């Protein structure tokens, strides 16, 4: 594996004279023990005045990019003055041999395990997916949208030939991938292909153009840098070759990305128009989510009346989200009772004896499987309530089937009553005023405000949340004293108090948890009305009745759906601020790891001094090289879990796709910070201080440090390819979970839900985009940084993306079964971060060109970051914004082809699942001889024993 650079503290920029005008002042860099002789002076063919102008121009360029103001007294490739040591070619070959062995072992293990555990490695092909969906209420829609699960699988995983599945994966069409994995997985695979095309084409032309130019540069470099810009002589005219190459590469990347964006927009419009992908119900295409609903409209009837007044006869249904913590707790208790009743019935059928348990004793859940009651635990018998919420005989030994059957019946009745009350409340809402009156009053307020503005009166303060409709108060004339107070500044205090009151209301709604939330859903009868509603301002205040396209119901996190949008945005700002500070201070844990993860630290522990001399010190060298890497990787692996928890539990984001997008962005920037610290062995905070004092130093910092460790990053990408990608294929977590369950638990005592979780765990059938996209972005960013400086990395990056495309395509076809569909919303974010990585590469090349004496080349490269930033806005305008909702023209065409689409709609599609739950009964095992609870109850029993 790749060893990490050895970090040493140093000052970024040192004082001293660094004259780039005199080429004799450059000392040769030490490449593999060989020194470069000073270049001979060429006869100057221009006059003394021209020479002075040339020197003045070069001096101006140095000042512009911060080279002369903060000079360097070492060559960036000397390997002795920087903060990081590179990986030489011999170390790389050793790491390559080790990683190749690991790769073969992992692939061989996969070939063995895929035959032994088909439910882990090919659940779609083995029929597990069909069994799991057989009892799903939405299974019919899903199978229609996603393809026939009973059809022949796309990939033949039963073949006995080693790697026989590879040819099937390669031949599988893109349409099959889209129907098998949905639009999110489809665009994820398209992004991998985009990165492969960029790196492969760049590697091909780099070998043809850059390699011969660098090899004949005459700079005397060796090792990795024989085929890099370091082998060009100082100020060589050949520096124009990489400058031209970065221009062509930038234009090629923009060209490819433009094509992918066009395809994304087509797929996105199809998703919004026809629901293509892994969708369960097409009604979401006709629905909007509404945020910041005023108190007077927080009810199904009031919200329906309001939108029906705006769009007469076009509204199908409305649903206001309720805050239902009590009902959700009751639902969880009922599911627990159902699960334990199923467990009791399975025990009866397996053993022939009716199970008994002591009321109040705890149970243990492990890997989704619940144990029998423990022989210890439970509260004292004088308690008035048991763990299932029923006032009954704590400490008594009871018949489990009778006990849980009675409990389930009581909970079904209690849930039905609570659901009925909550649904009535949702329909009634805040009915102190009709919606038509609210509209008329809003119109009157607008007219009044306009008239007052024309007459010179102060405009009334309006927060958009109407709390009173007292006409006499509205038309009451202010006393003269209040008018005078307003003129001397008291109106400023009054406005501040109104703003505070509005925010207090939002905080109270979110913290105290009012039942009627400010979030709701509206379903229309046709697409043209929806397209007009989503593009039209509904109210004169932009922060009232904010609408956008509704997410698919499965994408919603219903526990967070009731949270006020302003409250969530405020927490998002707080989280971003704290995480930004964490990124700036990221050097603290990195430096701590480097200081503590050493043999000297381990030897200081009592009884561990032997490690310093074990095997002649070779073990000590191994520990010093790999222990810091392992610890740093562990910390990096924990980061996405932290980001996920912050987005889900602190920011209260309302959709799974929004959570994943937040993880993608934050994880990507933390990886960039980790690269910066790993390479430079410095602190981002110190570098920011230098940049604040001298803003132009950013190019000098990038040009000085990043090109110095190309060998380390080549080994890094190679390790991710040969070790990281096979682990994705091997799926170690679900494999170990399956083996653990088979060894520890007996299958005949498991319920049907436990068997389903054992065979196909929900957690492991998802493609976690927040984890996968940043890993790809990291590699493509590294390739951009070194594509022109040291193009030897491009073939390795191309091989990485080629293997990633093969492995992830196989997983999408055979394993991943998405639990939601966002319509490819993660793809634009990945492309945006890709262009940021391209900008990093352009700035690094510009800074290094200055260090190599390419002053004109740096000026020619300088427009590229500006062009790339401009293209970010162009792509957003042309492709991302139009993909947010369907156009009116397309909507009218689709309505003409399908005028009766609303006939199949259901008013409860966007009703909270806890309100739509029906009577719960125990689920029998598929291999059970008895099909219902009544079959068990009708069995003849003698002394508690079943008569067969």
């Amino acid at each position: 594996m790749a060893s990490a650079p050895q970090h040493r503290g140093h000052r970024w920029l040192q004082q001293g004279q660094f004259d780039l005008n005199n080429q004799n002042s450059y000392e040769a860099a030490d490449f593999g023990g060989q020194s470069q002789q000073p270049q001979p002076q060429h006869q100057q063919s221009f006059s003394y005045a021209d020479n002075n102008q040339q020197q003045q121009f070069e001096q101006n360029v140095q000042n512009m990019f911060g080279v002369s103001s903060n000079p360097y007294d070492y060559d960036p490739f000397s390997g002795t003055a920087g903060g990081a040591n590179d990986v030489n070619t011999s170390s790389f070959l050793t790491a390559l041999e080790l990683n190749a062995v690991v790769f073969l072992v992992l692939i061989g293990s996969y070939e063995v395990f895929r035959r032994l555990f088909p439910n882990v490695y090919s659940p779609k092909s083995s029929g597990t997916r069909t069994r799991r969906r057989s009892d799903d209420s939405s299974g019919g829609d899903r199978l229609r949208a996603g393809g026939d699960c009973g059809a022949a699988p796309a990939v033949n995983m039963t073949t006995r030939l080693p790697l026989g599945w590879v040819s099937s994966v390669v031949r599988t069409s893109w349409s099959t991938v889209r129907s098998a994995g949905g639009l999110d997985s489809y665009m994820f695979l398209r992004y991998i292909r985009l990165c492969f095309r960029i790196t492969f084409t760049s590697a091909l032309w780099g070998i043809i153009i850059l390699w011969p130019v660098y090899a004949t540069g005459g700079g005397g470099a060796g090792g990795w840098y024989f085929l890099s810009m370091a082998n060009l002589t100082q100020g060589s005219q050949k520096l124009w070759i990489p400058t031209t190459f970065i221009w062509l590469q930038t234009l090629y990347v923009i060209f490819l990305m433009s094509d992918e964006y066009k395809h994304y927009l087509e797929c996105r419009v199809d998703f919004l128009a026809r629901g293509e992908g892994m969708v369960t119900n097409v009604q979401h295409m006709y629905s909007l989510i509404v945020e910041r609903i005023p108190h007077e409209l927080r009810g199904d009837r009031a919200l329906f009346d309001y939108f029906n007044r705006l769009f007469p006869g076009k509204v199908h249904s409305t649903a206001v989200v309720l805050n239902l913590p009590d009902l959700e707790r009751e639902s969880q208790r009922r599911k627990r009772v159902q699960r334990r009743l199923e467990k009791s019935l399975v025990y009866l059928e397996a053993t022939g004896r009716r199970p008994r348990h002591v009321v109040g004793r705890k149970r243990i859940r492990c890997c989704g499987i619940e144990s029998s009651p423990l022989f210890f635990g439970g509260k004292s018998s004088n308690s008035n309530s048991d763990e299932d919420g029923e006032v009954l005989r704590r400490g008594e030994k009871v018949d489990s089937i009778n006990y849980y059957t009675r409990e389930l019946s009581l909970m079904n009745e209690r849930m039905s009553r609570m659901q009925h009350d909550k649904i009535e409340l949702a329909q009634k809402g805040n009915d102190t005023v009709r919606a038509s009156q609210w509209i008329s009053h809003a119109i009157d307020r607008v007219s009044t405000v306009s008239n007052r503005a024309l007459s010179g009166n102060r405009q009334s303060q309006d927060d958009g949340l109407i709390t009173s409709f007292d006409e006499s108060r509205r038309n009451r004339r202010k006393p003269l004293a209040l008018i005078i107070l307003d003129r001397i500044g008291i109106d400023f205090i009054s406005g501040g108090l109104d703003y505070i009151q509005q925010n207090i209301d939002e905080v109270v709604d979110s913290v105290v948890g009012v039942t009627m939330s400010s979030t709701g859903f509206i379903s229309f009868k046709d697409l043209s009305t929806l397209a007009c509603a989503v593009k039209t301002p509904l109210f004169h205040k932009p922060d009232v009745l904010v609408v956008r396209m509704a997410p698919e119901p499965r994408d919603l996190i219903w526990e967070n759906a009731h949270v006020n949008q302003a409250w969530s945005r405020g927490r998002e700002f707080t989280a971003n601020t704290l995480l930004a500070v964490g990124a700036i201070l990221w050097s603290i844990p990195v430096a701590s790891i480097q200081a503590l993860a050493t043999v000297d630290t381990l030897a200081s522990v009592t009884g561990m001094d032997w490690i310093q001399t074990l095997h002649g010190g070779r073990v000590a060298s191994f520990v010093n090289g790999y222990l810091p890497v392992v610890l740093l990787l562990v910390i990096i692996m924990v980061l996405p879990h932290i980001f996920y928890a912050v987005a889900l539990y602190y920011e209260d984001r309302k959709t799974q796709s929004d959570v994943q997008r937040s993880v993608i962005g934050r994880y990507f920037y933390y990886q960039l910070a980790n690269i910066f610290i790993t390479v430079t062995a410095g602190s981002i905070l110190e570098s920011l201080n230098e940049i604040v004092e001298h803003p132009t130093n950013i190019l000098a910092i990038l040009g000085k440090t990043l090109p110095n460790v190309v060998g380390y990053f080549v080994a890094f990408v190679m390790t991710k390819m040969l070790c990281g990608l096979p682990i994705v294929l091997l799926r170690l977590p679900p494999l170990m979970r399956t083996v653990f369950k088979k060894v520890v638990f007996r299958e005949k005592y498991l319920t049907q839900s436990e068997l389903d979780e054992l065979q196909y765990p929900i957690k492991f059938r998802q493609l976690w985009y927040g984890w996968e996209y940043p890993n790809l972005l990291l590699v493509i960013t590294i390739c951009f940084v070194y594509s022109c400086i040291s193009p030897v990395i491009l073939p390795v990056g191309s091989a990485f993306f080629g293997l990633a495309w093969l492995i992830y395509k196989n997983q999408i076809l055979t394993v991943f079964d998405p639990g939601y569909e966002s319509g490819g919303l993660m793809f634009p974010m990945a492309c945006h971060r890709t262009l940021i990585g391209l900008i990093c590469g352009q700035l690094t090349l510009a800074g290094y060109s200055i260090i190599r004496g390419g002053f004109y080349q740096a000026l020619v490269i300088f427009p590229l970051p500006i062009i790339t930033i401009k293209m970010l806005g162009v792509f957003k305008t042309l492709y991302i914004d139009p993909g947010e909702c369907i156009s009116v023209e397309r909507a009218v065409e689709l309505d003409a082809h399908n005028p009766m689409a609303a006939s199949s709609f259901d008013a409860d599609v966007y009703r909270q699942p806890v309100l739509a739950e029906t009577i719960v009964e125990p689920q029998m095992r598929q291999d059970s001889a008895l099909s219902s609870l009544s079959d068990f109850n009708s069995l003849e029993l003698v002394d508690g024993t079943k008569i067969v």
Side-chain angles (χ1 to χ4, degrees):
M1 297 183 182
S3 60
Q6 299 296 322
H7 298 287
R8 296 186 298 273
H10 68 284
R11 294 180 57 86
W12 277 104
L13 301 172
Q14 304 176 2
Q15 300 299 324
Q17 183 64 29
F18 186 62
D19 188 8
L20 292 180
N21 300 322
N22 186 3
Q23 294 186 8
N24 287 330
S25 66
Y26 283 93
E27 295 184 358
D30 181 16
F31 298 103
Q34 296 181 1
S35 61
Q36 178 184 352
Q37 298 299 326
Q39 297 296 320
Q41 292 282 354
H42 295 284
Q43 187 69 27
Q44 299 185 8
S45 58
F46 41 80
S47 64
Y48 181 76
D50 293 338
N51 187 26
N52 288 338
Q53 293 177 359
Q54 175 72 13
Q55 292 182 359
Q56 183 62 38
F57 168 76
E58 294 179 358
Q59 186 66 38
N60 292 337
V61 174
Q62 295 175 45
N63 295 332
M64 180 185 301
F65 294 106
V67 176
S68 60
S69 60
N70 287 283
Y72 306 100
D73 60 353
Y74 65 94
D75 189 277
F77 291 98
S78 63
T80 59
N85 289 330
D86 199 9
V87 176
N88 55 39
T89 53
S90 60
S91 300
F92 172 78
L93 294 177
T94 302
L96 177 60
E97 294 175 0
L98 176 61
N99 286 311
V101 173
V102 174
F103 176 81
L104 294 177
V105 171
L106 294 177
I107 294 297
S109 301
Y110 173 76
E111 289 295 323
V112 174
F113 291 149
R114 72 179 176 88
R115 299 180 178 91
L116 298 178
F117 303 99
N119 60 300
V120 174
Y121 294 102
S122 56
K124 291 184 178 180
S125 302
S126 61
T128 305
R129 178 183 177 216
T130 306
R131 290 195 301 270
R132 282 193 65 85
R133 299 298 176 185
S134 59
D135 298 325
D136 191 353
S137 60
S138 60
D141 292 335
R142 180 179 176 86
L143 295 181
R144 183 180 66 253
D148 186 7
C149 290
V155 180
N156 182 17
M157 298 300 295
T158 61
T159 176
R160 293 291 177 178
L161 295 175
L163 303 179
W165 51 273
V166 174
S167 60
S168 300
V169 172
V170 173
R171 291 196 303 266
T172 302
S173 65
W174 284 101
S175 59
T176 304
V177 173
R178 185 172 176 179
S179 62
L183 189 56
D184 289 331
S185 300
Y186 174 80
M187 295 309 302
F188 173 75
L189 205 61
R190 296 278 300 195
Y191 176 76
I192 298 177
R193 194 190 72 157
L194 170 66
C195 295
F196 172 76
R197 293 182 64 185
I198 292 173
T199 53
F200 178 80
T201 304
S202 300
L204 177 63
W205 289 104
I207 294 173
I208 296 174
I209 299 175
L210 295 181
W211 285 24
V213 172
Y214 293 158
T216 59
W224 293 110
Y225 307 104
F226 179 72
L227 298 176
S228 71
M229 287 179 64
N231 201 31
L232 298 180
T233 58
Q234 197 70 26
S236 172
Q237 292 298 315
K238 291 184 177 181
L239 290 173
W240 286 108
I241 304 299
T243 302
T244 305
F245 192 90
I246 191 63
W247 265 92
L248 296 177
Q249 184 187 52
T250 300
L251 297 178
Y252 182 68
V253 170
I254 293 174
F255 169 75
L256 292 181
M257 197 164 288
S258 178
D259 282 349
E260 289 298 328
Y261 262 123
K262 291 177 182 177
H263 185 68
Y264 160 77
L265 182 59
E266 294 174 358
C267 295
R268 179 70 183 168
V269 170
D270 289 340
F271 172 79
L272 296 174
R274 293 191 289 266
E276 292 192 1
M278 307 291 287
V279 297
T280 58
N281 197 304
V282 296
Q283 186 172 338
H284 80 93
M285 303 180 308
Y286 293 77
S287 303
L288 297 178
I289 181 173
V290 186
E291 300 283 1
R292 300 187 64 83
I293 302 175
H295 289 278
E296 287 71 25
L297 297 184
R298 294 182 185 180
D300 293 351
R301 184 182 66 186
L303 194 62
F304 182 91
D305 290 346
Y306 172 76
F307 277 92
N308 194 57
R309 174 80 179 272
L310 296 180
F311 308 99
K314 299 297 184 178
V315 181
H316 177 268
S317 58
T318 58
V320 175
V321 178
L322 278 65
N323 183 21
L324 305 171
D326 53 344
L327 189 60
E328 291 173 353
R329 286 194 298 268
E330 188 68 21
S331 175
Q332 292 299 321
R333 286 195 292 264
R334 184 173 67 168
K335 291 178 181 178
R336 183 178 61 192
V337 170
Q338 177 195 17
R339 182 177 65 246
R340 293 180 177 178
L341 178 56
E342 293 174 356
K343 197 79 173 178
S344 302
L345 296 176
V346 169
Y347 180 86
L348 171 60
E349 187 173 14
T351 63
R353 296 188 302 272
R354 295 183 70 89
R356 300 175 67 83
H357 75 281
V358 176
V359 178
R361 285 186 174 172
K362 301 296 182 181
R363 306 180 186 225
I364 296 177
R365 282 179 63 84
C366 179
C367 299
I369 298 177
E370 192 173 51
S371 68
S372 300
L374 302 176
F375 292 102
F376 55 87
K379 299 181 180 178
S380 60
S381 59
N382 59 2
S383 176
N384 293 326
S385 62
D386 65 8
E387 60 176 332
D388 294 319
E390 183 65 21
V391 181
L392 185 67
R393 303 168 304 192
R394 176 174 294 276
E396 280 193 40
K397 193 171 185 178
V398 296
D399 181 281
S400 300
I401 295 180
N402 293 337
Y403 177 80
Y404 288 121
T405 300
R406 181 181 62 256
E407 289 292 300
L408 187 61
S409 176
L410 294 174
M411 288 187 172
N412 280 331
E413 295 178 3
R414 190 158 56 243
M415 278 288 296
S416 298
R417 290 195 302 269
M418 295 177 68
Q419 287 174 331
H420 181 266
D421 294 341
K422 299 299 183 181
I423 290 176
E424 280 193 346
L425 178 61
Q427 294 291 339
K428 182 179 179 181
N430 298 320
D431 59 349
T432 57
V433 64
R434 300 292 296 178
S436 58
Q437 297 174 352
W438 188 88
I439 296 173
S440 300
H441 180 68
I443 295 174
D444 292 342
R445 288 172 67 89
V446 174
S447 301
T448 302
V449 169
S450 302
N451 294 333
R452 289 180 179 178
L454 293 175
S455 61
N457 294 331
R458 182 177 62 89
Q459 184 175 352
S460 63
Q461 300 296 322
D462 180 18
D463 60 1
L465 301 178
I466 309 302
T467 57
S468 176
F469 295 98
D470 189 351
E471 293 293 332
S472 62
R473 180 179 179 182
R474 182 170 65 89
N475 296 322
R476 191 181 305 161
R477 183 179 181 83
K478 270 190 175 184
L480 179 62
L482 292 180
I483 297 177
I484 295 175
L485 290 176
D486 285 348
R487 292 299 183 267
I488 64 176
I490 300 300
D491 55 346
F492 169 75
I493 300 177
S494 176
L497 293 176
D498 290 340
Y499 178 79
I500 294 175
Q501 180 182 3
Q502 177 184 351
N503 285 271
I504 289 177
D505 291 338
E506 295 174 353
V507 172
V508 170
D509 289 351
S510 302
V511 177
V512 177
V514 294
T515 302
M516 306 302 299
S517 73
S518 60
T519 303
F521 297 90
I522 301 98
S523 295
F524 294 97
K525 297 180 180 179
D526 52 55
L527 290 174
S528 56
T529 304
L530 175 135
C532 293
V534 75
K535 296 176 181 293
T536 303
L538 300 177
F539 191 67
H540 69 282
K541 290 290 185 179
D543 58 346
V544 178
L545 293 176
V546 180
V547 298
R548 68 178 189 276
M549 294 294 299
E552 190 196 10
R554 294 181 305 162
D555 192 15
L556 284 165
I557 304 174
W558 288 104
E559 293 81 1
N560 298 341
H562 68 278
V563 177
N564 186 282
Q565 186 187 49
W567 171 265
S568 181
R569 294 280 177 84
R571 288 200 160 196
E572 180 182 351
F573 175 80
T574 303
N576 288 334
T577 302
L578 295 177
L579 291 174
V581 173
I584 294 174
L585 302 178
W586 184 243
S587 60
I588 296 177
V590 173
S592 301
I593 289 175
Q594 299 299 324
L596 298 178
T598 61
V599 171
D600 294 336
T601 304
L602 296 177
S604 64
V605 180
T606 304
M608 292 292 294
D609 53 350
W610 53 267
I611 196 172
Q612 290 181 317
T613 58
L614 185 62
H615 291 287
R618 289 194 296 270
V619 174
S621 300
F622 178 83
V623 171
N624 285 330
Y626 284 91
L627 185 58
V629 177
V630 173
L631 294 180
L632 185 60
L633 288 177
V634 169
I635 295 179
I636 294 176
M637 291 173 61
V638 172
L639 285 178
H641 296 277
I642 297 176
F643 299 150
Y644 181 84
V646 169
L648 183 61
Y649 301 112
Y650 178 74
E651 297 175 336
D652 296 323
R653 294 180 183 258
K654 299 185 179 183
T655 62
Q656 291 285 356
S657 57
D658 192 24
V659 171
Q660 295 297 322
R661 289 200 301 272
S662 70
V663 176
I664 291 173
R666 291 164 177 171
Y667 194 19
F668 169 71
Y669 289 121
Y670 260 75
Q671 286 187 327
L672 287 184
N674 184 67
I675 289 177
F676 187 87
I677 295 170
T678 300
V679 170
T680 62
S683 168
I684 294 180
L685 185 60
E686 294 177 1
S687 301
L688 289 178
N689 290 334
E690 293 290 347
I691 293 174
V692 169
E693 295 177 2
H694 305 284
T696 57
N697 282 352
I698 182 172
L699 293 182
I701 292 175
L702 292 175
K704 179 192 69 172
T705 56
L706 289 178
N708 193 30
V709 286
V710 60
Y712 169 76
F713 283 114
V714 170
F716 175 79
V717 175
M718 180 268 298
T719 302
K720 289 184 68 70
M721 175 180 64
L722 296 181
C723 295
L725 292 178
I727 289 178
V728 173
L729 190 66
L730 195 57
R731 307 191 71 218
L732 290 178
L735 176 63
M736 292 187 292
R737 179 188 176 105
T738 300
V739 173
F740 174 77
K741 287 185 175 181
K742 287 184 177 294
V743 171
V744 175
F745 301 103
R746 300 177 65 181
E747 187 171 331
K748 69 176 183 177
Y749 292 109
L750 301 182
T751 65
Q752 185 60 45
S753 60
E754 291 173 341
L755 286 174
D756 291 341
E757 185 67 14
L758 172 65
Q759 295 176 354
Y760 202 27
I762 298 176
K763 178 181 179 181
F764 298 114
R765 70 171 185 250
Q766 303 288 335
L767 179 56
W768 295 90
Y769 300 101
W771 279 251
E772 305 301 339
Y773 266 119
N775 290 327
L776 302 175
L777 287 167
L778 175 62
V779 176
I780 192 63
T781 300
I782 293 173
C783 291
F784 282 142
V785 169
Y786 290 102
S787 60
C788 295
I789 296 175
S790 186
V792 293
I793 201 172
L794 291 174
V796 182
S798 177
F800 170 84
F801 287 112
L803 185 60
W805 177 85
L806 177 66
I807 289 178
Y808 281 108
K809 185 177 182 181
N810 175 77
Q811 300 300 84
I812 291 171
L813 293 173
T814 61
V815 176
F816 295 136
D817 191 12
Y820 63 90
E821 178 67 77
S822 69
L825 287 179
M826 273 76 78
F827 178 79
M829 173 173 281
C831 292
H832 181 274
R833 269 54 179 186
T834 302
L835 292 181
I836 291 178
L838 179 61
I839 293 173
C840 292
Q842 295 163 350
L843 295 177
T844 303
L845 180 62
Y848 186 57
S849 296
I850 298 174
I851 293 177
R852 303 302 298 175
F855 306 105
Y856 291 102
Q857 290 84 349
L859 291 178
V860 172
I861 295 173
F862 187 75
L864 287 179
I866 301 176
I867 295 174
T868 307
I869 294 174
K870 177 63 177 179
M871 292 307 301
L872 291 174
V874 171
F875 288 148
K876 185 177 186 300
T877 302
L878 295 181
Y879 305 114
I880 299 178
D881 291 343
E884 294 294 329
C885 60
I886 191 172
S887 64
V888 177
E889 180 184 10
R890 184 71 179 275
V892 172
E893 295 176 357
L894 293 171
D895 289 337
H897 286 85
N898 189 15
M900 302 300 294
S903 60
S904 61
F905 289 178
D906 184 1
D908 292 332
V909 166
Y910 282 102
R911 184 75 62 194
Q912 289 161 274
V914 70
L915 290 175
E917 290 180 3
T918 57
I919 299 298
V920 171
E921 293 184 356
Q923 179 185 8
M924 304 302 161
R925 284 181 48 151
Q926 292 183 354
D927 57 355
S928 173
L930 305 174
S931 58
S932 65
L933 181 60
S934 60
D935 294 337
F936 281 90
N937 294 333
S938 64
L939 291 176
E940 183 179 355
L941 302 176
V942 177
D943 295 332
T945 303
K946 179 177 63 175
I947 298 178
V948 181

